[in-house]
Amino acid sequence: MTPFDRPPVGMNLGRTAKLVAQAFDAALVEAGGTLPVWLTLLSVKSSKLANQRELAGMIGIQGATLTHHLNAMETQGLLTRRRDPVNRRVHLVELTEAGEAMFETLRKAALVFDKRLRVGLPDERLAEFAQVLAVLRANVES
């Protein structure tokens, strides 16, 4: 068997990641959200009074892109932003009641999707898969 008898690992991983991401986004849309909204809500929820720079880093997007998402989410009543009293250049982001409710709705959708994704995979195989992913990440980071 030659290396060209099967798709390269990176190509297979890329195709799979794209398909899974599209299906996850569709599940979030069906629940009334989007992937950027979910990632933002999750990041704000996991770090009380996060500032915008920290949020952008947690989500892995540029500050300007985050600002666009935060503006829309603030208009929808999902979160509030206020100046940090210690450093007026920093905006602190908090979820509103509507944001908390949307977080819970999207959390449930994410859990249902994760359960669907894991069908047929025993815990041992998932643990092994997580190790393989860690090695792949380490290989591209070095």
Side-chain angles (χ1 to χ4, degrees):
M1 179 178 276
T2 70
F4 300 105
D5 291 337
R6 63 180 179 271
V9 171
M11 179 183 279
N12 196 4
L13 180 64
R15 286 180 180 167
T16 303
K18 184 175 181 178
L19 181 63
V20 170
Q22 288 171 338
F24 184 49
D25 196 42
L28 293 174
V29 167
E30 188 176 312
T34 63
L35 184 58
V37 168
W38 168 241
L39 293 175
T40 303
L41 292 173
L42 182 61
S43 296
V44 172
K45 184 82 172 165
S46 65
S47 59
K48 299 293 183 202
L49 295 177
N51 70 54
Q52 288 185 210
R53 184 175 310 161
E54 291 169 346
L55 286 175
M58 283 187 260
I59 297 170
I61 60 176
Q62 297 294 319
T65 303
L66 178 64
T67 299
H68 169 75
H69 292 304
L70 292 178
N71 287 342
M73 292 174 70
E74 192 170 31
T75 298
Q76 295 168 354
L78 299 176
L79 55 83
T80 60
R81 289 181 286 183
R82 63 181 173 82
R83 298 264 184 209
D84 183 339
V86 176
N87 182 351
R88 302 283 300 154
R89 294 176 294 165
V90 173
H91 283 94
L92 301 175
V93 182
E94 296 178 281
L95 299 185
T96 62
E97 280 188 40
E100 293 282 352
M102 178 61 79
F103 171 82
E104 192 56 35
T105 298
L106 296 182
R107 185 185 73 80
K108 288 176 184 173
L111 290 173
V112 167
F113 182 82
D114 188 63
K115 186 176 180 181
R116 173 181 158 210
L117 198 58
R118 292 169 177 253
V119 168
L121 292 170
D123 289 341
E124 309 81 55
R125 299 246 355 244
L126 288 169
E128 183 181 345
F129 180 60
Q131 291 173 341
V132 169
L133 290 175
V135 170
L136 291 174
R137 277 191 307 275
N139 288 345
V140 297
E141 288 174 347
S142 59

